[in-house]
Amino acid sequence: MLETLFTIELPVGESYQLKRHRFSPNEDQPEQGKRISIISGTHGDELEGVYVITMLAEWLKSNRDKIRGTIDLYPSLNSLGIDSITRTVPFYQADLNRIFPGTSRDTFPNQIAYGIIEAIKGSNIAIDIHASNIFLRELPQVRIAKTYAEHLVPLAKKLNMDFIWVHDAITVLEATLAHTLNSLGTHALVVEYGVGMRLTPGYGQQLLTGILNLLASEGIIDMMPFSVREPCYSDHGRVYYVNAPAAGLFVPAMDHCQSVKAEQIIGHIHDPYGVNPPIPCLTPGSGVLFTLREYPIVYEGSLIARIFDAQTGVCQ
Amino acid sequence: MTRHTLLNLASPSRDAFRVEGFRFAPRQHNDADTSVAIVAGLNGHELAQMHAAAQLVNFLQTHQAEDPHFITGEILIVPAVNTFGFNMGERNWPLDKTDINAMFPGFDQGETSQRIAHHLFEHLKGFEWGIELEDRRDQYDCMPYVRMIKSGFEDKKAAAYFGLQFAHYRDFVPSDAGSLQYNWSVWHTKTYGLVFGNKQQIETHTTNQILDSLIRFLAKVGAIRTKIFAGYATNIVTQDAITLIPSQRAGVFEPRQAVGSFVKKGDLLGKVFDSLDGSIREKIYAPVDGLITCHYHYPLIYQNTIAYRMISIV
Ligand SMILES: [Zn+2]
């Protein structure tokens, strides 16, 4: 059932609408069983999650008899942004994922944030799917703040992702959708993979299997759980960052998500004028290259790669 | 006065990114009574802020040339940080669109804008007073005011040295965590935000008012020796004195009261018209007596957007 949960009048002949596609055993009853919300489109330039949600909707329509709980699909929170390749909320240039929980009477982006929380709160589980931005390509991963790791890691392991990254709490991330939902008692997981403005269909299939596995494990669909991959887990290893040592044009020499050893060449930074020779960027340690720069122009400091060192971890 | 390049970062193709600072000191450095750093233009839309800071550089330089005893403290002024943004009409760091003023205290091994914040902050740490000149990030026209964030290190008394009509004293919010103002206070600098100006515009009247405020502040903390008008007795305003007045409807917004006006409960503040058929959708009235500090200033308004901000004496 497609529902419009709230609207905000726009100045000229249009309104913003928060829409949700809800699946439940009996559409006449409001909510049944465990409730899960699958979310994407907080950032208008990230489309990977929209694709997964369309595939999940197709699967659910063909398997209505297996539904035992409430599954809410929100593909496009920042719908003005999704429809116009705009990462932020247009006009205000506000990063929607930095203003939660929002307020009902303030700017347009704040009202959207507030309405989203009102719609989703009360869910048992939420999965907020992000692509990377246009600058980086990411291996399928779940990101979890340490504060909530105890409850979230067991759920994250069901999602068929390659990597679970447990990071320290950061104050500015307290204003994200996932943090706000977690603080309200919903187990909210952040999934991130691929690259901005593009689709990586293989990763989409991988996450779809993971979501179905999670739904089965939680009794939201009546099926045997799938067998899924065992993710690397960052609490048992360390993450190396590789930042550009100079400005120029970065040309990778490696594939994303390959295993690397220390002192291998990730790529070179070229001087556009060709005066200085290309500068090599080296791996600082061994592990899995889970982030690789996609957008070539770099300044000193631009992120080139992230490597998860699994030497002491659980990666195979 | 001495001019220093505080930061120099090579670009792939264009000219290097440079941040310039202007230092003033008493003839004998160890005679300095105090130290003040003033930073403007952390984002590339803050034209009025850059201009006011640059006018202050000029004022101090002229007076120092006339009177060698004019400067009595250490003063550092940085009129523009995001010079690339200024040259492109962009608010943020142009490549990755990050807000430099959300990156403090910075990180020298991190992303470009974190490195910019880090290197800049190394020059800004350790001052007794820190002043950040800022615009509002949203679509509002406001009276110039002083912003103080509760940090345990704020000085409410000295907020009045600027002589502006009010100072907004508010709680810390998570989005403050990466701001220069907040991080200064963490490093025990007594800090103020001076918020004024319309996006991407310079008004001579406001520039002069802010210049006057900064000179007054520098004189009162003992960084310069000069005579100046007393200014306003500043009201310290907390959240409970502020009234937010939203428009119930979207459309074309016509403000009917200017900022700085005193209004009575029931006075007409503005109208919202249907953008297409021209009919009046809403009239907005003052719900309380008070001073109008801000109004929404773009002609198109969204539903439930704050149209006016007022302060009242409570
Ligand atoms: Zn995102």
Side-chain angles (χ1 to χ4, degrees):
Chain A
M1 175 175 46
L2 187 65
E3 306 158 275
T4 299
L5 300 173
F6 71 93
T7 64
I8 302 167
E9 205 172 47
L10 302 184
V12 186
E14 187 192 352
S15 59
Y16 167 87
Q17 304 169 333
L18 181 68
K19 291 190 213 167
R20 128 175 119 194
H21 192 173
R22 168 168 282 188
F23 291 85
S24 58
N26 180 348
E27 297 216 330
D28 300 332
Q29 291 177 21
E31 220 180 286
Q32 298 145 65
K34 274 194 181 173
R35 178 177 161 207
I36 186 167
S37 294
I38 316 287
I39 304 155
S40 77
T42 319
H43 293 132
D45 58 351
E46 300 180 7
L47 305 172
E48 304 273 15
V50 182
Y51 178 51
V52 173
I53 288 177
T54 65
M55 288 194 293
L56 179 60
E58 288 305 315
W59 191 95
L60 292 167
K61 283 192 287 182
S62 320
N63 294 274
R64 287 191 189 274
D65 56 317
K66 298 190 175 67
I67 298 173
R68 296 288 177 272
T70 303
I71 303 149
D72 289 333
L73 308 183
Y74 300 87
S76 200
L77 296 185
N78 176 12
S79 52
L80 272 67
I82 287 281
D83 288 4
S84 62
I85 337 175
T86 312
R87 181 174 181 79
T88 53
V89 178
F91 185 68
Y92 284 88
Q93 286 106 48
D95 184 334
L96 184 55
N97 211 23
R98 294 289 181 277
I99 56 171
F100 284 97
T103 55
S104 61
R105 287 264 188 283
D106 203 332
T107 62
F108 174 53
N110 267 296
Q111 293 176 55
I112 297 177
Y114 178 83
I116 288 167
I117 294 296
E118 288 300 302
I120 299 174
K121 76 178 183 194
S123 303
N124 301 91
I125 301 171
I127 302 175
D128 183 18
I129 307 167
H130 289 254
S132 180
N133 53 30
I134 60 165
F135 298 105
L136 304 169
R137 181 174 285 280
E138 296 281 356
L139 199 67
Q141 57 198 272
V142 186
R143 293 184 182 174
I144 294 171
K146 249 193 189 113
T147 332
Y148 299 110
E150 188 192 337
H151 292 294
L152 298 185
V153 169
L155 296 173
K157 284 185 173 170
K158 299 189 193 304
L159 281 175
N160 200 32
M161 297 283 91
D162 293 87
F163 181 41
I164 297 174
W165 188 1
V166 177
H167 59 78
D168 290 325
I170 304 168
T171 312
V172 290
L173 295 184
E174 285 174 16
T176 61
L177 173 58
H179 186 278
T180 305
L181 289 172
N182 276 305
S183 71
L184 294 170
T186 295
H187 295 320
L189 298 155
V190 175
V191 168
E192 175 140 350
Y193 62 83
V195 64
M197 296 191 192
R198 297 283 180 274
L199 292 182
T200 317
Y203 289 166
Q205 289 290 345
Q206 185 181 336
L207 178 59
L208 178 65
T209 303
I211 292 173
L212 291 173
N213 177 52
L214 178 69
L215 295 177
S217 309
E218 293 291 317
I220 298 170
I221 56 174
D222 184 16
M223 279 183 78
M224 289 293 290
F226 294 65
S227 80
V228 294
R229 60 185 75 197
E230 175 80 19
C232 304
Y233 178 34
S234 74
D235 244 16
H236 303 269
R238 59 171 293 188
V239 173
Y240 295 107
Y241 286 70
V242 183
N243 296 78
L249 190 78
F250 173 72
V251 182
M254 268 184 185
D255 278 338
H256 182 229
C257 86
Q258 79 181 57
S259 289
V260 297
K261 298 207 178 338
E263 311 265 305
Q264 277 183 286
I265 292 174
I266 303 170
H268 291 88
I269 296 173
H270 295 255
D271 170 5
Y273 297 101
V275 174
N276 300 304
I279 299 168
C281 301
L282 302 177
T283 51
S286 62
V288 180
L289 189 84
F290 72 94
T291 303
L292 182 62
R293 189 165 188 90
E294 177 83 7
Y295 191 79
I297 289 290
V298 294
Y299 273 84
E300 183 193 319
S302 295
L303 190 63
I304 297 288
R306 280 186 285 231
I307 295 162
F308 174 62
D309 173 8
Q311 279 180 341
T312 54
V314 293
C315 270
Q316 280 88 41
Chain B
M1 185 201 78
T2 51
R3 178 175 171 150
H4 305 260
T5 300
L6 306 179
L7 212 146
N8 193 330
L9 185 76
S11 294
S13 314
R14 70 194 282 184
D15 197 359
F17 174 70
R18 283 183 291 268
V19 178
E20 302 288 297
F22 298 86
R23 285 184 197 281
F24 297 86
R27 287 217 291 195
Q28 299 294 325
H29 269 259
N30 19 4
D31 286 353
D33 292 333
T34 183
S35 58
V36 186
I38 299 171
V39 176
L42 284 159
N43 84 62
H45 283 176
E46 291 171 339
L47 311 187
Q49 289 67 19
M50 174 179 71
H51 188 55
Q55 290 303 307
L56 183 62
V57 171
N58 186 263
F59 172 88
L60 296 178
Q61 188 180 17
T62 310
H63 282 70
Q64 189 179 30
E66 288 165 1
D67 172 9
H69 302 290
F70 173 70
I71 302 284
T72 50
E74 305 268 353
I75 304 169
L76 170 65
I77 302 174
V78 183
V81 176
N82 188 8
T83 57
F84 278 10
F86 279 104
N87 290 330
M88 297 171 67
E90 285 208 23
R91 181 173 192 91
N92 294 327
W93 179 246
L95 180 59
D96 61 12
K97 318 294 183 227
T98 49
D99 180 356
I100 296 169
N101 203 13
M103 296 296 158
F104 289 95
F107 177 41
D108 63 348
Q109 301 297 308
E111 288 270 355
T112 311
S113 48
Q114 291 175 310
R115 293 182 189 211
I116 292 169
H118 167 84
H119 291 299
L120 188 62
F121 201 52
E122 288 298 304
H123 292 285
L124 299 175
K125 271 191 234 173
F127 281 83
E128 184 177 3
W129 305 95
I131 303 165
E132 189 187 312
L133 308 187
E134 259 192 77
D135 68 356
R136 283 190 64 100
R137 287 153 187 255
D138 45 23
Q139 292 287 346
Y140 289 90
D141 185 6
C142 292
M143 295 166 64
Y145 65 93
V146 180
R147 187 191 51 217
M148 272 184 295
I149 302 170
K150 283 179 194 164
S151 65
F153 222 81
E154 62 275 18
D155 185 330
K156 278 161 66 172
K157 185 166 154 271
Y161 293 172
F162 294 102
L164 292 175
Q165 264 166 289
F166 75 99
H168 184 198
Y169 183 43
R170 68 158 172 78
D171 290 328
F172 169 85
V173 293
S175 59
D176 290 328
S179 71
L180 172 60
Q181 189 185 351
Y182 176 71
N183 282 281
W184 249 336
S185 72
V186 172
W187 265 261
H188 294 186
T189 289
K190 289 178 278 190
T191 173
Y192 304 97
L194 226 54
V195 186
F196 64 98
N198 268 337
K199 276 196 172 75
Q200 295 176 280
Q201 287 181 29
I202 295 177
E203 273 177 21
T204 309
H205 169 75
T206 310
T207 305
N208 292 339
Q209 187 186 4
I210 293 299
L211 184 59
D212 195 55
S213 287
L214 291 168
I215 294 166
R216 186 180 301 111
F217 184 89
L218 290 175
K220 293 217 173 188
V221 299
I224 59 175
R225 196 171 294 155
T226 192
K227 291 197 181 94
I228 183 123
F229 283 109
Y232 290 100
T234 306
N235 289 284
I236 307 283
V237 172
T238 50
Q239 210 54 41
D240 51 355
I242 298 173
T243 305
L244 306 178
I245 304 146
S247 66
Q248 314 282 334
R249 302 296 305 274
V252 169
F253 175 61
E254 185 183 280
R256 299 300 289 266
Q257 296 282 354
V259 296
S261 319
F262 286 91
V263 295
K264 290 255 173 251
K265 183 177 175 177
D267 285 354
L268 180 67
L269 298 181
K271 294 179 184 173
V272 178
F273 296 92
D274 185 296
S275 303
L276 300 177
D277 72 18
S279 59
I280 292 183
R281 281 185 160 176
E282 186 190 359
K283 289 180 177 173
I284 301 169
Y285 297 100
V288 290
D289 294 356
L291 171 67
I292 291 178
T293 56
C294 300
H295 76 70
Y296 186 83
H297 87 123
Y298 190 71
L300 297 180
I301 196 164
Y302 294 65
Q303 188 175 25
N304 295 327
T305 299
I306 306 301
Y308 279 91
R309 290 170 193 266
M310 289 175 60
I311 55 176
S312 307
I313 300 305
V314 286

